[in-house]
Amino acid sequence: MDIRIDHIDNIGEAARQFTDHLPAGNVFAFYGKMGAGKTTFIKALCQQLGVEEEVTSPTFAIVNEYQAGDNCPTPLIYHFDFYRIKRLEEAYDIGFDDYVDSGNLCFIEWPELIEDLLPDDTTRVDIVEQEDGSRIVSF
């Protein structure tokens, strides 16, 4: 499925469309170039799924945990950013397998750095900036 985001003001609607068609599984790998909007889209998804606290990039923490709302299929959402890791072992060190095995939603930025650890049923989400500045979210 493709979702077009014409303007940042429409990101909430795009997040609603995504959650309305949420694929099975709990792990979502977000691919896109730097500045494509991965973090911004994940923030909108978390808001759509009832997260009330501020959603921030986990660039330095590697993972942030959020309490989800009643409309979310899981009680917690884990948001990962693997941009800074240098070795696959760093993902093991934070207990990545435990997060994935928890059954809670896992939104992962820069998954290409840990692809060997991703479960087979991971949903790939591509975010591509278009020439006109819009974004296409494909999953």
Side-chain angles (χ1 to χ4, degrees):
M1 177 172 185
D2 288 348
I3 299 170
R4 183 179 183 87
I5 305 170
D6 290 320
H7 190 275
I8 191 71
D9 293 342
N10 302 346
I11 199 161
E13 173 59 21
R16 185 196 60 73
Q17 290 178 39
F18 187 93
T19 59
D20 283 353
H21 297 93
L22 201 63
N26 68 307
V27 181
F28 296 82
F30 290 80
Y31 292 83
K33 293 181 180 178
M34 181 74 74
K38 297 179 296 293
T39 301
T40 304
F41 189 64
I42 290 172
K43 286 180 182 182
L45 289 176
C46 288
Q47 290 173 344
Q48 182 66 32
L49 293 168
V51 173
E52 294 182 2
E53 62 196 282
E54 182 181 358
V55 177
T56 60
S57 174
T59 301
F60 295 102
I62 300 179
V63 62
N64 288 343
E65 177 181 313
Y66 302 108
Q67 184 71 42
D70 292 338
N71 62 332
C72 185
T74 65
L76 298 173
I77 298 172
Y78 300 120
H79 178 191
F80 298 88
D81 185 333
F82 287 111
Y83 181 74
R84 290 182 47 242
I85 71 163
K86 304 289 184 231
R87 298 173 295 111
L88 199 57
E89 291 76 22
E90 292 177 68
Y92 285 116
D93 290 346
I94 67 161
F96 180 72
D97 289 341
D98 293 331
Y99 288 108
V100 169
D101 292 342
S102 73
N104 289 303
L105 289 178
C106 296
F107 296 148
I108 304 167
E109 295 185 54
W110 301 103
E112 48 271 76
L113 300 174
I114 59 144
E115 281 187 332
D116 291 344
L117 303 180
L118 296 175
D120 292 339
D121 64 346
T122 298
T123 298
R124 181 184 177 109
V125 182
D126 291 293
I127 302 177
V128 179
E129 183 176 8
Q130 305 300 296
E131 287 184 23
D132 64 0
S134 65
R135 307 298 198 268
I136 300 292
V137 178
S138 303
F139 59 100

